[in-house]
């Protein structure tokens, strides 16, 4: 494909959430890079215009977007190292008191300090979304409903990195004092309780609440005010489910409504195209479809301009130009073991999904996520046809939530990591993976397109 030809397409890489199974999608991205020499290479037929992610996928795409050449980052193993760190997203070791209380159901299961420490190792503390090298779309959820998002509700210096536990003792009392506030014991319950009775809580307080929770989609496209948010704050919030880790700024994991961010990414791409955003390079002259549409309505169509039918259709116009690769987390989707039953809410939330096949967890653990993922996949296929491909062979038998919770303990985390590498190594021969490599080599287009039918 020529450079001129590939600029007529708007390519989206969408990465699902998946907790520890963020490692699965990271390995698949590396394997695709090994199979296709252009995948993720800037200014090539495999370059990406928009990186979209939810939860673990949000962290992965942010890691890629900060690199001038995302392909090199993937091949060097940056993503895989992140998801296999002993201290990070799944540990709770930097605050022994919080770790102990979590066993009694008090506080988050995994540590806020651990995750912030890890994020500050992989991102510059003051790096903002607007500083990233590539456009991103991050799905999160505004739990508190505040219009003005403030990630630092308690007074501390957000730019100060948390010291590595192995070296903090040798850092000296001055450095230890300097780093005493950022991510350790900043919450004083007595001060907080008093503030609730007598006045405002300590620290900056978000204002202008909407009165209800709602989705929050972060982007860094030109002109978006989200560009001023720090990357570490967005990454932390987007990968923090309420009840699993301490919530900061009222923003939590977007998997509660969008474990698969493909539809949000498609909608954002159409919106940017209709408004003539500079990220749309649909002609050799790098002019956006919206600009060309204005010219087409008043002038003779110029040589090299997009098809007039594409320009005049109001919303679907830009769908003809969009290409999407959606990457899942590899978890096996179960089925319920009974067809006819009469259970109460208490029973359905406790009884196993399918004891006959080894799915002993209740359907409420994964059901709400799997249904949304499948629905988004179906809608995306119908909207884009052969311009869309989903890579998600079902290879991981343990549910995402179960594996992520157990990953707090070294034994289970290492066991799951070994299993992930073993299963993803075999996935190269999976038909879904073969289709993905053909999709990329064919200019991000399926050939021939499969017959996609509504879910039965």
């Amino acid at each position: 494909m020529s450079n001129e030809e590939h600029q007529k397409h708007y390519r989206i890489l969408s990465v699902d959430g998946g907790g520890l199974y963020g490692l699965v999608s990271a390995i698949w991205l590396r394997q695709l890079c090994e199979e296709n020499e252009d995948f993720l290479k800037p200014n090539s037929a495999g370059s990406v215009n928009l990186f979209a992610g939810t939860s673990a996928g949000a962290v992965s795409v942010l890691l890629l977007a900060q690199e001038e050449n995302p392909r090199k980052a993937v091949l060097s193993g940056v993503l895989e190292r992140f998801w296999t760190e002993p201290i990070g997203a799944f540990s709770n070791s930097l605050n022994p008191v919080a770790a102990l209380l979590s066993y009694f159901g008090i506080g988050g299961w995994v540590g806020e300090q651990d995750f912030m420490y890890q994020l500050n190792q992989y991102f510059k503390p003051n790096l903002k979304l607007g500083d990233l090298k590539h456009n991103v779309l991050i799905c999160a959820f505004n739990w508190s409903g505040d219009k003005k998002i403030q990630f630092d509700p308690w007074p501390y210096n957000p730019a100060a990195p948390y010291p590595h536990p192995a070296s903090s003792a040798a850092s000296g009392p001055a450095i230890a004092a300097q780093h005493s506030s950022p991510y350790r014991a900043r919450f004083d319950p007595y001060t907080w309780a008093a503030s609730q009775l007598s006045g405002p809580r300590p620290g900056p307080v978000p204002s202008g609440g909407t009165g209800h929770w709602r989705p929050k989609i972060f982007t860094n496209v030109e002109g978006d005010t989200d560009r001023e948010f720090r990357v570490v704050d967005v990454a932390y919030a987007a990968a923090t489910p309420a009840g699993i880790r301490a919530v900061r700024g009222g923003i939590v994991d977007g998997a509660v409504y969008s474990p698969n961010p493909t539809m949000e990414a498609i909608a954002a791409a159409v919106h940017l195209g209709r408004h003539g955003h500079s990220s749309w390079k649909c002609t050799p002259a790098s002019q956006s479809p919206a600009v060309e549409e204005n010219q087409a309505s008043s002038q003779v169509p110029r040589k090299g301009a997009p098809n007039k039918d594409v320009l005049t259709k109001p919303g679907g116009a830009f769908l003809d130009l969009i290409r999407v690769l959606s990457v899942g987390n590899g978890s096996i989707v179960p089925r319920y073991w009974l067809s006819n039953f009469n259970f109460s809410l208490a029973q359905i939330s406790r009884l196993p999904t399918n004891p006959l096949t080894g799915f002993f967890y209740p359907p409420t653990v994964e059901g709400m996520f799997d249904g949304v993922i499948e629905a988004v996949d179906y809608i995306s296929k119908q909207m884009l046809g052969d311009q869309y491909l989903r890579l998600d062979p079902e290879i991981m038998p343990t549910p995402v939530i179960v594996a992520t919770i157990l990953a707090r303990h070294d034994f289970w985390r290492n066991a799951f990591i070994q299993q992930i590498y073993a299963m993803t190594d075999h996935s190269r021969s999976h038909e879904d993976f073969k289709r993905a490599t053909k999709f990329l080599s064919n200019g991000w287009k399926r050939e021939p397109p499969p017959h996609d039918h509504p879910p039965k």
Side-chain angles (χ1 to χ4, degrees):
M1 180 184 294
S2 67
N3 186 61
E4 176 179 309
E5 182 69 20
H6 85 76
Q7 283 190 357
K8 294 181 180 180
H9 301 144
Y10 191 96
R11 287 174 296 280
I12 298 170
L13 175 63
S14 173
V15 185
D16 284 14
L20 182 62
Y21 290 173
L23 176 60
V24 174
S25 58
I27 294 172
W28 282 340
L29 290 176
R30 172 176 56 79
Q31 292 174 341
L32 289 175
C33 284
E34 293 169 348
E35 296 290 334
N36 187 289
E37 62 181 11
D38 286 332
F39 182 51
L40 299 182
K41 182 188 296 184
N43 302 316
S44 74
S47 61
V48 172
N49 299 89
L50 180 65
F51 291 89
T54 295
S55 192
V59 178
S60 291
V61 300
L62 288 169
L63 288 168
L64 295 180
Q66 72 173 338
E67 303 291 341
E68 195 73 48
N69 188 339
R71 178 182 175 83
K72 286 185 177 180
V74 171
L75 290 174
S76 67
V78 170
L79 297 187
E80 293 170 58
R81 284 197 299 274
F82 185 93
W83 296 114
T84 55
E85 291 279 9
I87 298 179
F90 312 113
S91 64
N92 196 344
S93 59
L94 296 186
N95 188 330
V97 175
L100 178 62
L101 291 175
S102 68
Y103 285 111
F104 297 93
I106 302 174
W109 176 246
V110 293
E112 171 193 15
Q113 299 150 335
D114 297 57
F115 195 27
M116 288 301 292
Y117 159 72
Q118 182 188 26
L119 291 173
N120 276 282
Q121 306 306 304
Y122 282 81
F123 298 104
K124 294 179 180 179
N126 289 319
L127 181 72
K128 298 180 179 179
L129 288 182
D131 300 326
L132 296 175
K133 308 296 183 182
H134 304 274
N135 289 333
V136 297
L137 180 145
I138 306 299
C139 290
F141 193 75
N142 190 337
W143 194 261
S144 64
D146 289 321
K147 289 182 178 179
K148 182 180 179 182
I149 298 172
Q150 173 65 43
F151 279 114
D152 304 321
W154 310 105
Y156 68 97
N157 177 11
Y162 192 86
H164 194 286
S167 60
S168 59
S171 300
I175 296 180
Q178 176 184 352
H179 294 294
S180 62
S181 59
Y183 308 117
R184 68 170 82 207
R186 68 173 186 270
F187 174 57
D188 178 356
Y190 301 102
T191 303
W192 177 85
S195 70
Q196 303 307 300
L197 296 174
S198 60
R201 63 183 181 181
V205 179
S207 60
T210 62
H212 62 86
W213 51 34
R214 58 199 177 97
K216 169 57 185 174
I217 298 176
F218 293 92
T219 67
N220 66 337
V221 297
E222 185 178 353
D224 196 319
T225 56
D226 288 348
R227 291 168 58 88
E228 293 303 310
F229 286 115
R230 293 193 309 146
V231 173
V232 291
D233 290 328
V234 174
Y236 178 95
T240 295
I244 301 297
R245 186 170 25 241
V247 175
R248 303 173 65 242
I251 306 298
V252 300
D253 194 314
V256 295
Y257 72 95
S258 182
N260 176 354
T262 301
M263 284 307 306
E264 287 81 3
I266 294 173
V270 171
H271 173 80
L272 293 174
R274 294 180 66 182
H275 288 79
H277 194 267
S278 59
S279 63
W280 275 82
K281 297 179 173 63
C282 296
T283 70
S286 298
Q287 289 182 303
S288 69
V291 173
E292 293 287 355
E293 182 175 7
N294 292 335
Q295 292 178 343
S297 63
S298 59
Q299 301 176 6
V300 177
R302 303 186 324 158
K303 182 179 180 180
N307 185 288
K308 184 177 180 181
D309 291 337
V310 173
L311 295 174
T312 53
K313 299 175 185 176
F318 304 95
L319 294 178
D320 294 338
L321 307 175
I322 294 173
R323 303 287 189 270
V324 177
L325 174 62
S326 175
V327 181
N329 57 48
S331 60
I332 293 177
V333 179
R335 66 177 181 85
Y336 202 62
W337 69 302
L338 297 174
S339 298
N340 302 289
F341 55 90
N342 181 17
F343 295 148
S344 67
L345 287 176
Q347 289 175 305
I348 201 72
S349 62
R350 290 179 174 85
L351 294 176
T353 298
N354 195 330
L356 303 179
T357 56
F359 293 96
F360 296 106
Y361 56 89
T364 51
V365 172
E366 290 274 320
M368 63 179 180
F369 301 120
D370 293 336
V372 174
I373 291 173
E374 295 290 326
V376 170
D377 181 44
Y378 168 70
I379 295 171
S380 300
K381 287 177 182 176
Q382 304 311 307
M383 292 179 67
L384 297 181
D386 58 4
Q387 300 159 206
Y388 164 85
L389 185 126
R390 172 79 170 166
L391 174 61
D392 193 21
E394 298 180 12
I395 60 174
M396 302 305 301
T398 306
V400 168
I401 294 179
V402 175
T404 300
I405 290 177
L406 290 177
R408 170 176 167 175
H409 304 289
D410 292 342
F411 172 81
W412 287 109
R413 183 176 64 253
N414 293 331
F416 282 125
I417 289 173
Q418 291 178 12
Q419 183 186 46
I420 287 170
Y421 273 102
M423 301 303 289
T424 51
D425 186 56
H426 293 307
S427 68
R428 282 181 181 268
S429 60
H430 198 284
E431 192 60 34
D432 284 5
F433 192 85
K434 292 180 180 179
R435 279 198 292 264
T437 57
K438 291 179 181 178
F439 175 79
L440 295 176
S441 62
N442 195 43
W444 290 53
K445 191 171 184 178
R446 287 184 295 175
E447 188 179 50
H451 297 289
D452 299 319
H453 301 288
K456 300 295 185 183

